[in-house]
Amino acid sequence: MTARLRWGILATGGIARLFTSDLLANGFDVRAVGSRSAESAQRFADEYGIRTAHGSYDALLADPEVDAIYVATPHPWHAASALAAIEAGKHVLVEKPFTLNEAEARVVADAARERGVLVLEAMWTRYLPHMVRIREIIAAGTIGEVRSMVADHTQKLPDDPAHRLNAPELGGGALLDLGIYPVSFAWDLFGEPAVIQSTAIFKETGVDAQVAVQFGYLDGRIASTFSASDARGPNRALVLGTEARIEIDGVWYTPTTFRVIGHDDAVLEEFASDVNGRGMHYQAAALEQLVAEGRLDGGDILPTEESVAIMGTLDRIRAEIGLRYPGED
């Protein structure tokens, strides 16, 4: 049995609420919450039955009854929040994208290694049962040699210029909030791309509304991803192999169903997810297991170094479409 860690929730926004709900529904120990205001922290603690509410992030990080911190701040503060938690000696699960850019990601990864704690990117999709099974199917050679993948993450999100998603200074836009999912999936399947071709449409606020990306690899494989914050699409994914294909139903990055289909359209396998809640607790279980095993490299599913490299890929996409965030050097 893996010893349960005592979790602290840093920030009280929507993603923190989803994560906390899943942890509590699946038996995790959520010990404290911290916010920039005492009122917000107390409301969150009262709603979820959390023992301690801290009126500052520093107070949360200083809490001796907290072993692991979940960072749920906006993108530009991921690095600073993670670094503060690392300095406090806490293990850290930091919301995706890991940081704002690769330079920040490198600083965070190096700090965790030097401090002797685990920092893990909260790319929860990788830990879901259907994704675990898909990796098993591919490793077994069931679909032959994987040659390509296609995935979209497309949502109709608020148009309000003041909304976080439309604010460049908050790292808003489709790529970091939505595109990170299919980009990370392509990395999961194929690793680092050799060639990146990208195009984008921008909103009046300067953030990206739609981003289409094609990755090319030295062995000829191709991955195509599309993200949009102004229009909702099917949110499905397809993995093509030389012997069969995997069709992942919408919403592919959440607990869902998929089929393995042969060349003759015969269904070779069907999978249906059976998950208690949204499934965000699987990443927390992975962090706890890695800590118990003394593995501070992030493990096999999403090594910390891969999270750093994925930020580098996002940087390359942004350079190609001409997207920079305020304050970046």
Side-chain angles (χ1 to χ4, degrees):
M1 291 290 291
T2 300
R4 285 291 192 214
L5 297 181
R6 299 168 297 178
W7 285 85
I9 309 300
L10 192 151
T12 56
I15 194 68
R17 300 172 71 85
L18 293 171
F19 178 75
T20 301
S21 293
D22 272 1
L23 258 60
L24 293 173
N26 289 278
F28 289 78
D29 185 354
V30 181
R31 189 62 59 96
V33 59
S35 176
R36 290 176 296 179
S37 77
E39 294 79 9
S40 177
Q42 192 61 59
R43 283 196 303 269
F44 194 96
D46 290 344
E47 180 175 355
Y48 292 102
I50 297 172
R51 179 186 303 178
T52 305
H54 293 290
S56 72
Y57 297 154
D58 288 343
L60 172 67
L61 298 179
D63 191 332
E65 292 196 351
V66 171
D67 307 306
I69 294 290
Y70 172 67
V71 171
T73 52
H75 305 334
W77 292 285
H78 283 185
S81 300
L83 287 169
I86 290 166
E87 178 62 26
K90 312 296 188 184
H91 304 291
V92 191
L93 181 65
V94 57
E95 252 310 318
K96 69 211 160 319
F98 192 51
T99 53
L100 198 63
N101 52 48
E102 184 180 18
E104 291 184 351
R106 171 49 56 206
V107 172
V108 170
D110 289 349
R113 183 176 60 254
E114 292 168 5
R115 189 68 171 83
V117 297
L118 172 61
V119 60
L120 194 66
E121 180 185 7
M123 177 45 70
W124 60 294
T125 299
R126 289 212 186 185
Y127 302 91
L128 293 175
H130 73 289
M131 283 297 178
V132 173
R133 180 57 188 149
I134 285 170
R135 285 193 291 269
E136 292 173 347
I137 290 168
I138 291 172
T142 303
I143 68 170
E145 183 182 352
V146 180
R147 299 305 302 159
S148 62
M149 64 82 73
V150 180
D152 79 304
H153 188 174
T154 46
Q155 304 289 345
K156 179 63 175 173
L157 299 177
D159 292 323
D160 180 3
H163 194 282
R164 175 188 69 82
L165 292 166
N166 300 315
E169 66 275 14
L170 296 179
L175 183 64
L176 292 194
D177 262 275
L178 309 179
I180 179 65
Y181 283 88
V183 168
S184 185
F185 188 26
W187 258 90
D188 195 12
L189 292 176
F190 300 143
E192 184 172 10
V195 177
I196 298 176
Q197 296 176 304
S198 312
T199 188
I201 298 172
F202 290 84
K203 292 187 175 183
E204 291 184 1
T205 62
V207 302
D208 50 304
Q210 298 188 7
V211 184
V213 182
Q214 182 166 285
F215 297 135
Y217 302 85
L218 295 178
D219 59 3
R221 294 177 295 180
I222 295 174
S224 297
T225 76
F226 182 68
S227 56
S229 63
D230 60 354
R232 182 174 174 84
N235 291 299
R236 299 191 185 105
L238 173 67
V239 181
L240 288 176
T242 54
E243 302 300 325
R245 67 185 184 271
I246 302 174
E247 295 182 354
I248 313 174
D249 296 322
V251 174
W252 70 266
Y253 49 86
T254 70
T256 188
T257 54
F258 72 79
R259 290 162 304 287
V260 182
I261 302 174
H263 290 312
D264 58 357
D265 287 333
V267 177
L268 307 179
E269 178 176 332
E270 291 186 85
F271 183 96
S273 296
D274 183 13
V275 172
N276 183 28
R278 195 166 187 252
M280 298 185 77
H281 60 286
Y282 289 104
Q283 59 189 345
L287 184 144
E288 292 190 354
Q289 184 65 42
L290 289 167
V291 170
E293 294 172 357
R295 291 198 61 181
L296 304 181
D297 61 351
D300 298 328
I301 293 179
L302 184 53
T304 303
E305 286 298 316
E306 185 167 322
S307 291
V308 175
I310 289 171
M311 291 312 306
T313 295
L314 293 173
D315 285 354
R316 290 173 63 188
I317 294 169
R318 290 202 293 120
E320 191 163 80
I321 63 177
L323 175 61
R324 294 185 65 80
Y325 301 116
E328 285 190 298
D329 293 331

